Amino acid sequence: MIVLGIESSCDETAAAIVNDKKEILGECVLSQEEHKSYGGVVPEIAARAHLEHIDEIIEKTLKNANIKLSDVDAIAASSGPGLIGGVVIGVMAGKALSLALNKPFIAVNHLEGHALTARLTSDVCYPYLLLLVSGGHCQILIVKNVGDYERLGTTIDDAAGEAFDKVAKMLNLGYPGGPMIEKMAAKGDENRFTLPHPLSNSGDMNLSFSGLKTAVRKIIESYSPDGKLEHAILNDKDTADICACFQKTAAECLTIKLEKAIRYFKASYPNGKDLVVAGGVAANTYLREALQKLADRHKLLFSAPPVRFCTDNGVMIAWAGLERFQNGYVNDLDFKPRPRWPLDENAPKAAGAGGVKA
Ligand code: KG4
Ligand code: ZN
C-alpha cells in the first residue's frame, strides 16, 4: 500500500510518499522564508506561498520516489487544524488528485500526523502516552488507536512552541524561536534566574506558559534603563543564561505534569509501555533528554521521531493517512477543511475542564 501525503497547514509546504512497510519512498519540504522579517507566520502570505509551490513539491516528491501518480493507492492531505488559507490549498490539491486518479481521499488531522509519526520511525504500540508540543498545541494524550484519543491535559494559554517563539522575539533571536533558544541555551547557565512553574500544584494535568513568559519579560526589562523591553541592554552571556533558564523551566513544567500522566496511564492502561514526544518542540534535545530520564525512572520506553520529522513535514501526513486507510477511514470529496479540530472530539468527556485528575 502506497500513500501520498500533503502538508500545508502552517509555513511548511510539504509532501511525502510512504508504504505499509514503513518505507519513506520520497519526500520534499519547503520551509517558507517569507515570514522571517515579521517575527511570526503571516497567514495570507503563507497561503499564497503554498499555492505557488504545492504542485512542484508534489512533483519533486514523485520524482524522488521514482514512482508514477498511478502507483499511489490513496491521497492524504492535512485538513486542519491550522491556518485555513493554507489548509484549503493542500486539501484542494489532494482532492483534485483523488478525483483525477479515482483514488481515495483521506482527510488527516494535522495533530494526528504528529501523534502517529513515532509509529513509523520506531516500534511504538497502542496504547501509548503522548506529549504533543508544537507551535499551536501543547497536550498530554493517551493514543489508544488511530482516531481514538484520551486527552489528559492541555495548555490553558500559550502552546509550548509559542512560548519559545515569544521569548525568542523578546530577545531579538528571530523566528522560529525554538531552535535559536536551544542554541543559545547550550552556552548558558540554567541556574542563574529562578522562574515560576505555573499550574504545577493545580492537581490536574493542564499546563500554562503565559506566566513563565511574563517572568522572562520582567527579567529582560530589569536590564533596561527605562524599564522598557526594547531598550534592554543584554550581553551574549545574559541572553544565553535567560535562554537556558527558560528552556530548563519549560521542560520542568512539562515533566511535572507528565509525571502525573504516567501514574494515570499506568493505572488505566497496564499494557501500555511507551512514552512518546511529538511536534516541533520535540526537536529540542534538552527536552528529549529530560523525557528520556523521566521514562527510565518509570520503566517506560521513550520514543521521539528524528528531529526532521518533529517539525511539520509530509511524511507524518502520509503515514497517518496510511494508518487511517488501513483502518478503513476514507473521506468524501466534500470534506470541509477544519481550522479547529480537536483530536479527542469523539471521546467521552473526562472529568474536569480539559483533563482528568491524576
Ligand atoms: O510542529 P511545528 O513545526 O508546527 C506546528 O504545528 O505548530 O512546530 C513549530 C514550533 C515552533 O514554535 C518552533 O519554535 C518550535 O516548534 N521548535 C522548537 C525547536 N524546533 C522547533 N522549540 C524548541 N526547541 C527546538 N529545537
Ligand atoms: Zn505541526
Side-chain angles (χ1 to χ4, degrees):
M1 182 185 292
I2 299 179
V3 175
L4 165 69
I6 300 168
E7 163 58 37
S8 61
S9 67
C10 193
D11 55 343
E12 264 85 27
T13 317
I17 298 168
V18 302
N19 68 15
D20 54 358
K21 295 191 196 87
K22 294 192 172 183
E23 288 166 337
I24 299 164
L25 305 179
E27 58 166 319
C28 194
V29 181
L30 175 76
S31 288
Q32 299 174 356
E33 298 284 325
E34 289 88 336
H35 310 284
K36 282 215 149 68
S37 58
Y38 299 95
V41 180
V42 184
E44 179 61 24
I45 294 177
R48 283 168 190 266
H50 286 305
L51 184 60
E52 217 166 288
H53 298 292
I54 201 139
D55 290 350
E56 90 198 39
I57 293 290
I58 294 170
E59 262 168 47
K60 273 191 191 160
T61 302
L62 285 160
K63 211 164 163 192
N64 227 259
N66 200 17
I67 63 169
K68 299 185 293 296
L69 261 178
S70 53
D71 297 330
V72 168
D73 295 303
I75 293 105
S78 180
S79 304
L83 301 174
I84 197 64
V87 175
V88 167
I89 307 291
V91 168
M92 292 301 287
K95 285 179 178 177
L97 288 173
S98 156
L99 189 66
L101 299 166
N102 196 22
K103 301 276 166 87
F105 169 73
I106 301 160
V108 170
N109 182 318
H110 176 86
L111 301 175
E112 182 155 70
H114 281 305
L116 302 187
T117 305
R119 285 176 45 78
L120 167 72
T121 56
S122 353
D123 285 324
V124 174
C125 297
Y126 298 119
Y128 57 94
L129 183 62
L130 172 72
L131 173 67
L132 177 52
V133 271
S134 69
H137 295 86
C138 180
Q139 300 179 352
I140 300 173
L141 301 140
I142 293 169
V143 187
K144 295 194 266 182
N145 210 327
V146 184
D148 190 3
Y149 296 85
E150 178 177 349
R151 194 177 67 185
L152 304 183
T154 185
T155 178
I156 60 164
D157 40 56
D158 293 345
E162 197 179 350
F164 272 87
D165 293 335
K166 286 177 177 169
V167 167
K169 196 169 182 181
M170 289 188 242
L171 292 167
N172 292 319
L173 294 177
Y175 179 87
M180 283 309 294
I181 298 237
E182 178 171 6
K183 199 164 156 213
M184 291 299 292
K187 300 180 280 186
D189 170 6
E190 64 177 31
N191 296 313
R192 175 162 161 199
F193 305 103
T194 305
L195 292 166
H197 300 79
L199 291 192
S200 58
N201 296 317
S202 64
D204 58 17
M205 290 174 253
N206 287 333
L207 292 136
S208 162
F209 289 100
S210 169
L212 174 56
K213 179 192 65 190
T214 306
V216 171
R217 168 182 279 272
K218 288 204 173 119
I219 290 171
I220 301 173
E221 284 170 353
S222 73
Y223 284 79
S224 164
D226 60 2
K228 289 199 173 127
L229 182 94
E230 56 276 24
H231 298 152
I233 302 162
L234 297 169
N235 61 31
D236 278 359
K237 168 144 180 43
D238 297 328
T239 304
D241 292 350
I242 292 171
C243 288
C245 294
F246 166 74
Q247 181 177 261
K248 176 184 105 170
T249 311
E252 285 169 350
C253 290
L254 294 166
T255 48
I256 288 168
K257 291 304 168 108
L258 272 172
E259 198 100 50
K260 288 179 195 291
I262 289 173
R263 281 201 293 276
Y264 176 85
F265 176 59
K266 287 190 145 188
S268 312
Y269 301 87
N271 57 333
K273 290 193 289 296
D274 298 277
L275 170 66
V276 171
V277 66
V281 184
N284 187 285
T285 307
Y286 186 96
L287 176 63
R288 292 162 85 101
E289 285 172 0
L291 296 176
Q292 178 72 65
K293 284 187 199 139
L294 178 72
D296 291 348
R297 265 205 312 281
H298 290 276
K299 304 203 168 14
L300 288 174
L301 298 167
F302 174 63
S303 296
V307 167
R308 72 195 171 104
F309 297 141
C310 289
T311 47
D312 292 349
N313 62 83
V315 171
M316 67 188 219
I317 302 304
W319 175 253
L322 189 141
E323 283 216 47
R324 289 193 81 75
F325 193 34
Q326 280 176 332
N327 283 273
Y329 297 110
V330 293
N331 294 88
D332 292 335
L333 289 184
D334 63 358
F335 179 90
K336 287 192 184 56
R338 298 186 53 178
R340 288 179 190 280
W341 190 355
L343 266 181
D344 61 330
E345 69 179 358
N346 297 322
K349 282 281 161 271
V356 295
K357 292 267 180 194

